[in-house]
Amino acid sequence: MSQDVLREPAKAAIFLVVDVRPGSEDTARALLADLAGLTRAVGFRAPEDQLSCVVGIGSSLWRRLYQAPPPRDLHPFRGLSGARHTAPATHGDLLFHLRSRRLDLCFELERQVLRRLAGHVQVLDEVQGFKYFDERDLLGFVDGTENPEGRAATAAVTIGDQDPAYAGGSYVIVQKYLHDLDAWQALPVAEQERVIGRQKLSDIELTDQPANSHVAATTIVDPDGTERQIVRDNMAFGTPGAGEFGTYFIGYAATPAVIERMLQRMFVGEPPGNHDRILDFSTAVTGSLFFVPTAEFLEAPSTRGPATSPDGSLGIGSLRRSRT
Ligand code: HEM
């Protein structure tokens, strides 16, 4: 069973990125195995508020935790440098993506997770996110409209035959963006709409889409005409007193290549130079890539090895042991 990747858009979220200290692998692996139980314990008291937690594992930690060969497309986030804008790569062993209709549930689950990991991890980044009015980001635009739904969403995020040992898993890329809201608000609304590619109030897509709009940059179509989709659940965050206003981008996909192609088009541009104008008002300050195993793998990694043996023969049904 996949983790809770596909949810209705969250009202509140916490994004927690940590590094696992050397020697703390057993503690981390045990916490991951208990995470579903912890989430149930916190969330069951308010089931209508739909607490969920997805955990992603970074490539360098994978080799420390599990003996099974890494998932096919797991690698460190690849930073990008365009002529004007840069997407930095920042380290992260584990990503916890906590979502609910209320922040206190996320907060309590994060507290319980960190209690279990006390002394064993270093917190690298921690962001409390919220939805701003009707599903908007802090640029004031409705964010998430073109997310696929139903079967299309499942297909977009779920690993299938391309990596049978990890079928049911997913990949996730996160980036924390800070906005220059003064510069953004100085822009007339009609111009803001040309930056995003949709109308601000009605959320209707522009018919005369500029080539450097955000929607144009992130619309990926294969040569055979198939659109490649991802599932996002971006959240607004900020500290007005410190002048900090941001969007925490989170994108799930069956292969990171789709998101990487979007990032290439945003930061470098196709053709190069045609960068996404949203970046003239938004600076990426983090960037990490994680693999999202199935719930079964997390609970019992020692019995959930890959179906293919290192020699290439099919090992379906055989038990593989992790380094416990
Ligand atoms: C500053 C950060 C970002 C903000 C504020 C933002 C905001 C938005 C908004 C307002 C839309 C239009 C409505 C919608 O369909 O959701 C949108 C669309 C989209 N964004 Fe972003 N976004 C950000 C970063 C990213 C990144 C980094 C990616 C991927 C690498 C991405 C991928 C997409 C995709 C795939 C769409 C749908 C395009 C379509 O098919 O129409 N976004 N975004």
Side-chain angles (χ1 to χ4, degrees):
M1 199 177 61
S2 302
Q3 293 188 58
D4 280 331
V5 168
L6 298 175
R7 308 286 296 188
E8 67 178 49
K11 291 292 173 209
I14 292 180
F15 304 92
L16 173 68
V17 178
V18 304
D19 265 358
V20 175
R21 294 193 194 285
S24 294
E25 291 79 7
D26 288 350
T27 308
R29 198 168 36 240
L31 179 273
L32 297 186
D34 290 349
L35 191 59
L38 271 182
T39 307
R40 274 195 300 279
V42 176
F44 189 69
R45 285 174 278 163
E48 64 285 1
D49 292 315
Q50 299 182 358
L51 176 66
S52 68
C53 178
V54 173
V55 67
I57 302 172
S59 64
S60 55
L61 181 67
W62 181 275
R63 289 163 217 279
R64 292 166 53 202
L65 286 192
Y66 305 118
Q67 202 171 20
R72 204 188 69 172
D73 297 329
L74 182 58
H75 53 258
F77 179 80
R78 296 172 182 141
L80 286 160
S81 280
R84 295 253 316 260
H85 300 293
T86 301
T90 50
H91 199 262
D93 279 340
L94 292 172
L95 164 75
F96 295 92
H97 180 202
L98 300 95
R99 286 182 275 186
S100 175
R101 288 189 181 154
R102 28 190 274 221
L103 184 61
D104 62 342
L105 290 181
C106 302
F107 181 89
E108 175 62 6
L109 181 56
E110 182 193 12
R111 198 174 71 84
Q112 296 292 349
V113 166
L114 286 176
R115 239 188 78 206
R116 283 278 301 269
L117 293 174
H120 295 281
V121 294
Q122 183 192 356
V123 174
L124 301 177
D125 195 27
E126 186 185 19
V127 172
Q128 295 188 349
F130 57 90
K131 274 282 152 63
Y132 190 54
F133 295 101
D134 34 16
E135 305 295 330
R136 290 174 194 268
D137 52 43
L138 290 184
L139 300 180
F141 281 74
V142 177
D143 194 346
T145 313
E146 290 298 335
N147 263 334
E149 291 182 332
R151 262 191 263 168
T154 306
V157 301
T158 314
I159 296 170
D161 293 344
Q162 73 272 32
D163 193 1
Y166 294 106
S170 235
Y171 293 88
V172 60
I173 284 182
V174 290
Q175 282 183 303
K176 182 173 165 180
Y177 284 88
L178 297 179
H179 299 302
D180 181 346
L181 273 199
D182 289 339
W184 178 251
Q185 277 153 5
L187 212 60
V189 168
E191 204 47 38
Q192 293 181 354
E193 293 176 336
R194 292 178 59 73
V195 171
I196 300 295
R198 301 184 81 96
Q199 289 176 19
K200 194 170 187 181
L201 182 63
S202 69
D203 191 32
I204 306 286
E205 192 168 336
L206 301 188
T207 43
D208 54 339
Q209 194 67 246
N212 57 3
S213 75
H214 181 58
V215 164
T218 54
T219 301
I220 307 289
V221 183
D222 280 347
D224 68 359
T226 317
E227 191 174 338
R228 304 296 299 275
Q229 293 184 296
I230 65 170
V231 170
R232 299 162 284 134
D233 200 358
N234 296 353
M235 299 299 276
F237 68 90
T239 318
E244 186 183 85
F245 303 96
T247 295
Y248 201 95
F249 164 80
I250 183 158
Y252 289 95
T255 162
V258 178
I259 306 176
E260 287 167 348
R261 175 92 195 280
M262 291 174 182
L263 289 171
Q264 173 77 18
R265 285 168 58 89
M266 286 178 67
F267 283 83
V268 178
E270 275 181 12
N274 180 47
H275 72 260
D276 184 338
R277 276 185 77 200
I278 207 172
L279 299 178
D280 296 341
F281 307 91
S282 317
T283 304
V285 293
T286 68
S288 314
L289 163 63
F290 304 88
F291 173 65
V292 179
T294 58
E296 288 86 351
F297 183 94
L298 290 176
E299 279 179 30
S302 57
T303 58
R304 301 275 162 183
T308 312
S309 303
D311 64 1
S313 65
L314 281 180
I316 296 170
S318 66
L319 294 188
R320 300 192 124 251
R321 300 207 57 76
S322 71
R323 226 181 270 141
T324 44

